[in-house]
Amino acid sequence: MTWSNEAIKAKKATQFEAIPSEWRIPADKLPPESVTNVISFYKTCGILTQPEIDIVDLEPGVLLSRLANGSLTALETTIAFCKAAAIAHQLTNCLTEIFFDRAIERAKELDDLFTKNDNKPVGPLHGCPISLKDQFQIKGTECNMGIASWLGEISERDSVLVTILKDAGAVQVLLDLAEFPTLTFIVQFGESDNYVYGRTSNPYNRTLTCGGSSGGEGALVALHGSVLGVGTDLGGSVRIPACYQGLFGLRPSLHRLPYAGARNTLLGLEGIASALGPICRSLDGVAAFTKSVIDGEPWLLDPKSPEIPWREEMTLKKPVFGVMYWDEVVMPHPPVRRALSMTINALKDAGYEVVEFTPFNVAEAESIAKELYASDGGEDLSRTFSKSGEPWYPLIVTGGMDKKISVWESWQLNVKKDNFREAYLNHWNNTKSSTGKAIDGLLLPPSPSTAHVINQWHRYLTYTAFFNLVDLPAMVIPVGASVDPVLDPVDVGYKPVSELDAAIQNSYSPELFENAPLSVQLVGRRLREEEVISMAWHVVGALKASSA
C-alpha cells in the first residue's frame, strides 16, 4: 500500500459506512466542541432505547449472570452494545474495524445454541460483547494497527486469544476493534493518534487524551460501548488508558495470557515484551475475563504460555501493602497524590498494615528499558514505514534510536536487565511488615498525571514501564474521584528535583484537567495474577467503606 491521502479517505469512508444510518447522530445533534464532558451522552441522544440503556449500564458480573441464565439474550445485548459503540465512535473517534453485522449474526448463533443445549450457555463469556485492540487478528478481516503500510492486508488466521474467546462464548471479535496509535511500543507515545484513523479523545474531557496505546479501548469501555476491552501493554499501554478513563486495567505477567497470533511491530524483541490485558468498568469483569482465558488452556495453543491453571485458592485474607508515594524522579500532580492518599487512608482505617516502600534505582530502570526499546536503532520501524513512505508521526519519541547495537551488546543488556530484576526482588523481599513478613502488594501512582492535554504529553512512563522491565503483574484501580480545582490546587510550595520534574509540574492546571478520573496502581508478585485480583478486591472494599 502506498502512502496517500486518497487511501486514508477511502478507509475512513468504509469505516463510516459500517455504522447503520439509524445509529448515526445528526450533525446538529452532536455535542459542540465546547461541551467537553460527553460521558453520559449515550443516554440522551435517542439512539438507545431505555431497555438498551439498562443493558449497557449493567455491571459486567451481573450482565454475565443474566446472559448465562437466559434472562437476557445475546442478540438484545449485542445490539445494545453495538449502538453504544457507534455513539462512542462518533463522540471520540475510538474505533477502527467495525463488525456490527457479524456481531449480530454471532449473537443469533449463540442464542440458537443456548436453546438447543437446554438453556445452557456456550461458555463462561456467553453472549458477552468484548472489543479488541487492533492487533488481535481475525481471519478474513483487515488488521492494520493504524499503519498506512498495512492498509488492505487481510489476516489469514485468528489470534490464539480470539480462538479462546470464541470458545468461551464471547461476541467480542465480531463487534469492533479499538484504536491503536501508530507504533507506540518502542517509542513512548502516551496518546492514541495516527495517520490512518486520526485522534481519539477522552469522553470525560475531550480536550484531554484517552491515553495510549490502547486508548480507543479506554474511551469505548468508558462510554459503555463494550463490556470489556482487550489491550496490550509494553510500557503501560493497558494501564494508562485505564487510568485516564477511570477504569480497571490489568497488565499480567508476560505470557500468562496468550499473545500468539497477535500482530505487532518489534516482533522478536525478547528483552522487554508486550503483554495483553483487560480494561473494564468493574473488577469482576477483569476477574471473569482472566479466569476464562486461563481456563481455555492457552498453553495448548501458545508455546510461550506457561501451564498454570487458574488458582482459586490464591487469595489473601489480609494482605500487607507497601506504598511508594513517588519515585524520587518525577513528583505526581496534586490530584494523583490525593488519589493515593485516599486509598492508603481507607486501607489503614479498614485495619490493613501499610509499609513505606523505598524507590529502587528508578533512573537505572528507565535507562535499561529505553535501551531495550531502541536496541535495533529504529530499523523495525523504518522498514515498516518505508513500505508505504509513511512519515514518522510527530509525537513519536526517537531519542536513543540512532544506534543499532550488536548481538553481543544486546546479550549484555539482557544480563543487566536480569541482574536488575534480581536486585529488585531482593528489595521487595526486604520490605517487611511489623511481623517480619514481606509485603504482598505495592501501591503507587500509575502516572505523574491524570489524563493530559492532547499533544502535551509529559513523556514519562516509568511509573508503569518499570514493571514491564521487572515483569510484575500490575492493576490500575479507579478510586471514584476526579480532578477538582478546589481539592487539587497547584502545589506552589513544591521544589522540583530536575528540569523534567519542573516541566511536568508546570504542565498541571486543575482547570484544564477538570473531571479527569483518579486511580492508583497495584503491583504484585510475578505470575500471581490471581493474588493481584484478590488484593484489588481488598482495595476496592476499603475505598467503598471509606466513602459510605
Side-chain angles (χ1 to χ4, degrees), residues 7-36:
I8 301 305
K9 287 179 182 178
K11 183 63 183 176
K12 291 290 288 182
T14 301
Q15 184 191 42
F16 184 72
E17 289 166 4
I19 299 175
S21 58
E22 63 271 22
W23 297 356
R24 298 174 192 169
I25 306 167
D28 61 345
K29 300 295 183 182
L30 280 168
E33 288 186 9
S34 59
V35 177
T36 58

Side-chain angles (χ1 to χ4, degrees), residues 115-127:
T115 301
K116 290 176 182 177
N117 293 333
D118 298 323
N119 294 340
K120 292 180 181 177
V122 168
L125 299 176
H126 178 88

Side-chain angles (χ1 to χ4, degrees), residues 208-416:
L208 307 179
T209 177
C210 61
S213 60
S214 309
E217 290 293 350
L220 179 65
V221 173
L223 283 166
H224 299 231
S226 173
V227 177
L228 180 143
V230 184
T232 60
D233 192 311
L234 178 61
S237 295
V238 164
R239 287 162 290 162
I240 291 172
C243 164
Y244 281 14
Q245 263 90 198
L247 303 167
F248 291 88
L250 173 65
R251 182 267 177 198
S253 309
L254 278 177
H255 310 306
R256 186 78 199 276
L257 302 182
Y259 208 93
R263 196 163 200 192
N264 207 347
T265 54
L266 312 186
L267 290 174
L269 175 62
E270 296 289 330
I272 187 167
S274 181
L276 71 88
I279 298 173
C280 191
R281 289 184 292 113
S282 76
L283 184 53
D284 60 358
V286 170
F289 169 86
T290 308
K291 182 179 186 302
S292 296
V293 174
I294 292 173
D295 284 348
E297 300 182 323
W299 50 87
L300 297 179
L301 300 171
D302 183 344
K304 290 185 177 181
S305 289
E307 188 171 350
I308 305 176
W310 181 262
R311 297 161 293 186
E312 196 68 49
E313 72 282 0
M314 191 174 279
T315 58
L316 296 169
K317 292 183 178 179
K318 201 75 170 180
V320 174
F321 294 96
V323 58
M324 190 177 85
Y325 288 100
W326 75 304
D327 65 2
E328 297 182 353
V329 177
V330 172
M331 176 64 75
H333 288 166
V336 179
R337 287 184 250 167
R338 177 165 66 90
L340 187 55
S341 294
M342 284 173 55
T343 305
I344 298 307
N345 291 337
L347 286 167
K348 288 181 177 178
D349 289 345
Y352 293 88
E353 184 173 3
V354 181
V355 180
E356 196 91 17
F357 187 95
T358 305
F360 182 80
N361 296 353
V362 173
E364 180 185 356
E366 182 183 23
S367 174
I368 295 171
K370 285 183 175 179
E371 287 183 78
L372 286 165
Y373 291 144
S375 57
D376 75 334
E379 181 173 352
D380 186 81
L381 303 185
S382 296
R383 285 174 178 262
T384 300
F385 290 144
S386 65
K387 183 177 178 182
S388 64
E390 177 179 6
W392 287 56
Y393 201 84
L395 281 177
I396 293 177
V397 181
T398 57
M401 295 174 63
D402 53 352
K403 178 190 175 185
K404 184 190 301 182
I405 65 176
S406 69
V407 172
W408 185 85
E409 289 172 318
S410 175
W411 291 354
Q412 305 320 300
L413 185 55
N414 282 322
V415 170
K416 186 190 297 187

Side-chain angles (χ1 to χ4, degrees), residues 52-95:
E52 289 170 337
I53 293 171
D54 293 340
I55 288 172
V56 300
D57 280 352
L58 287 173
E59 286 292 307
V62 175
L63 180 69
L64 284 170
S65 176
R66 293 188 183 179
L67 285 164
N69 66 28
S71 58
L72 278 178
T73 67
L75 180 60
E76 63 184 328
T77 301
T78 297
I79 290 174
F81 277 96
C82 283
K83 285 184 175 184
I87 296 165
H89 181 62
Q90 292 170 81
L91 294 173
T92 64
N93 190 41
C94 60
L95 305 182

